[in-house]
């Protein structure tokens, strides 16, 4: 199945969806807050906030507690806006995919117009708050992230190329850079190293999911790599990206902004990640368990890596803030953020939805 034929099938599906949404699901005449919350893809939002918090944590500049809270909320709102606009545009795809058919728009709980307005307003609010509370650089990065995810990935790449996840992964990799920019007003090598880790993590993570959902993506006309290239080619690419990821994960230690403990954790977890990728490449097509194991472990892997960075820099920043005048309150808030991130580990590890 080539991209052109997929695009043609997708056009037919969009037409059928437009007709069925009028006849089967009338325009939403009532709504609930929970439906709008669902539009923001809360679990994906949490991933963005968590990695952005790490970017804030490793920055050399310490924000006060109120500014930190405003930055985190703005980044969360920006991620939620991107999710809502993604659901608005992808309503036709969501309606024919098993795992997304119960989202608010396909169910007729929220109209596409309502989702569009909600996403635009929430995104504008998020960018404005971040600009006022922190820096224009961070606000510009957040705006570019939302636009890239919606216009470049959702509206273009996702429907036209097998490299959709590879290129589109840049949007999900930007939160640590935004967090750093919110604190410093610029972009440096440290947040770019975190960007690279998430960027290389995204393809094996989502392809491992897509291997077990090939029929779903094919039915929706989405040219995910397993659909257009097959299982063997996909698992080879997973091994390649996993190897690059293992190397990139050592950058924080090699560049000196993470300690030896982080380097050891990255090496151990990376070895397991690569081992699972190799096992997947050697497994037979009927074996769905190996792909699922890699998918689940990839979530654990990213959480452990970024938690190690957060704890490492959290200790250093707490000592620095306590030694400064009036730093006790900021230290307490920072400690609560670090503890909260670790406390929410079960929620983070439940990100097994493949929100693409």
């Amino acid at each position: 199945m080539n991209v052109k034929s997929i695009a043609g099938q997708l056009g037919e599906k969009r037409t059928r969806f437009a007709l069925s949404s009028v006849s089967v699901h009338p325009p939403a005449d009532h709504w609930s807050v929970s439906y709008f919350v669902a539009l923001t893809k809360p679990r994906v939002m949490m991933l963005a906030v968590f990695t952005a918090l790490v970017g804030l944590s490793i920055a050399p500049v310490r924000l006060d507690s109120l500014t930190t809270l405003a930055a985190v909320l703005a980044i969360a709102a920006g991620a939620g806006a991107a999710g809502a606009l993604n659901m608005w545009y992808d309503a036709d795809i969501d309606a024919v995919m098993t795992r997304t058919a119960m989202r608010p728009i396909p169910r007729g709980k929220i109209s596409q117009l309502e989702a569009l307005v909600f996403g635009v307003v929430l995104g504008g609010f998020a960018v404005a708050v971040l600009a006022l509370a922190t820096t224009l650089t961070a606000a510009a990065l957040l705006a570019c992230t939302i636009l890239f995810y919606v216009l470049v990935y959702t509206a273009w790449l996702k429907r036209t190329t097998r490299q959709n996840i590879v290129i589109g992964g840049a949007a999900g990799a930007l939160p640590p850079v935004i967090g750093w920019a919110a604190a410093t007003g610029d972009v440096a090598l440290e947040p770019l190293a975190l960007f690279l880790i998430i960027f290389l993590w995204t393809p094996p993570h989502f392809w491992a999911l897509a291997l077990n959902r090939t029929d779903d993506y094919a039915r929706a006309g989405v040219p995910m790599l397993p659909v257009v290239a097959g299982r063997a080619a996909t698992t080879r690419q997973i091994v390649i990206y996993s190897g690059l990821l293992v190397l990139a994960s050592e950058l924080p230690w090699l560049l000196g902004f993470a300690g030896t403990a982080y380097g050891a954790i990255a090496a151990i977890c990376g070895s397991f990640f690569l081992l699972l990728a190799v096992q997947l490449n050697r497994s037979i097509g009927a074996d769905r368990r190996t792909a699922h194991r890699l998918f689940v472990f990839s979530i654990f892997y990213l959480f452990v890596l970024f938690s190690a960075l957060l704890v490492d820099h959290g200790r250093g920043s707490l000592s620095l803030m306590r030694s400064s005048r009036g730093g006790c309150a900021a230290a307490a808030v920072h400690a609560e953020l670090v503890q909260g991130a670790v406390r929410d580990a079960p929620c983070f590890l439940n990100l097994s939805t493949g929100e693409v």
Side-chain angles (χ1 to χ4, degrees), residues 169-177 190-200 306:
L174 276 171
V177 184
E190 292 90 339
L192 291 179
L194 302 187
F195 170 91
L196 183 61
I197 291 173
I198 302 174
F199 183 78
L200 293 173
F306 276 72

Side-chain angles (χ1 to χ4, degrees), residues 28-182:
D29 55 0
H30 67 280
W31 50 266
S32 167
V33 172
S34 63
Y35 298 141
F36 284 94
V37 172
L39 281 180
T40 65
K41 298 184 178 180
R43 285 175 286 190
V44 176
M45 179 199 299
M46 185 170 60
L47 173 61
V49 170
F50 179 72
T51 56
L53 182 60
V54 175
L56 273 169
S57 179
I58 68 173
V61 179
R62 297 299 164 199
L63 301 178
D64 62 79
S65 57
L66 190 60
T67 304
T68 299
L69 180 61
V72 170
L73 291 177
I75 293 170
L85 292 172
N86 170 269
M87 287 199 193
W88 157 72
Y89 192 86
D90 275 352
D92 56 327
I93 290 177
D94 289 347
V96 298
M97 291 184 68
T98 303
R99 69 180 183 82
T100 57
M102 296 305 291
R103 285 176 174 176
I105 298 176
R107 292 176 61 198
K109 300 299 183 181
I110 292 178
S111 70
Q112 285 186 272
L113 178 60
E114 288 171 332
L116 174 61
V117 172
F118 174 69
V120 170
V121 171
L122 186 61
F125 171 78
V127 172
V129 168
L130 197 61
L132 293 173
T134 61
T135 68
L136 290 177
T137 302
L141 283 170
L142 180 61
C144 288
T145 301
I146 297 171
L147 291 174
F148 186 91
Y149 183 72
V150 176
L151 299 180
V152 178
Y153 169 69
T154 302
W156 177 31
L157 297 173
K158 182 174 181 178
R159 298 167 184 257
T160 58
T161 174
R162 68 180 67 183
Q163 297 299 316
N164 46 21
I165 285 299
V166 177
I167 305 170
L174 276 171
V177 184
I178 298 172
W180 174 284

Side-chain angles (χ1 to χ4, degrees), residues 132-333:
L132 293 173
T134 61
T135 68
L136 290 177
T137 302
L141 283 170
L142 180 61
C144 288
T145 301
I146 297 171
L147 291 174
F148 186 91
Y149 183 72
V150 176
L151 299 180
V152 178
Y153 169 69
T154 302
W156 177 31
L157 297 173
K158 182 174 181 178
R159 298 167 184 257
T160 58
T161 174
R162 68 180 67 183
Q163 297 299 316
N164 46 21
I165 285 299
V166 177
I167 305 170
L174 276 171
V177 184
I178 298 172
W180 174 284
T184 66
D186 61 18
V187 176
L189 195 57
E190 292 90 339
L192 291 179
L194 302 187
F195 170 91
L196 183 61
I197 291 173
I198 302 174
F199 183 78
L200 293 173
W201 169 86
T202 303
H205 168 72
F206 280 112
W207 285 336
L209 169 72
L211 281 169
N212 286 340
R213 297 182 181 272
T214 303
D215 293 341
D216 218 14
Y217 284 113
R219 184 167 56 253
V222 179
M224 291 292 285
L225 188 61
V227 176
V228 297
R231 179 185 176 88
T234 302
T235 56
R236 284 196 299 270
Q237 289 295 309
I238 287 176
V239 172
I240 292 171
Y241 275 95
S242 298
L244 294 174
L245 172 62
V246 171
L247 295 176
S249 67
E250 294 293 345
L251 283 176
W253 174 63
L254 293 173
L255 294 174
F257 66 93
T260 305
Y262 167 85
I265 291 172
I268 295 170
C269 291
S271 298
F272 278 106
F273 197 108
L274 189 56
L275 176 62
L276 289 173
V278 172
Q279 287 180 346
L280 175 60
N281 187 46
R282 293 176 178 176
S283 65
I284 60 176
D287 184 8
R288 300 169 61 91
R289 294 172 299 176
T290 52
H292 183 70
R293 277 199 298 267
L294 177 60
F295 174 72
V296 172
F297 182 78
S298 67
I299 302 169
F300 172 80
Y301 171 85
L302 193 67
F303 172 76
V304 170
L305 234 59
F306 276 72
S307 291
L309 280 171
L310 191 63
V311 172
D312 188 11
H313 284 267
R315 288 170 180 168
S317 62
L318 287 176
S319 299
L320 181 63
M321 287 187 288
R322 286 196 183 102
S323 62
S324 63
R325 182 178 178 182
C328 292
V333 171

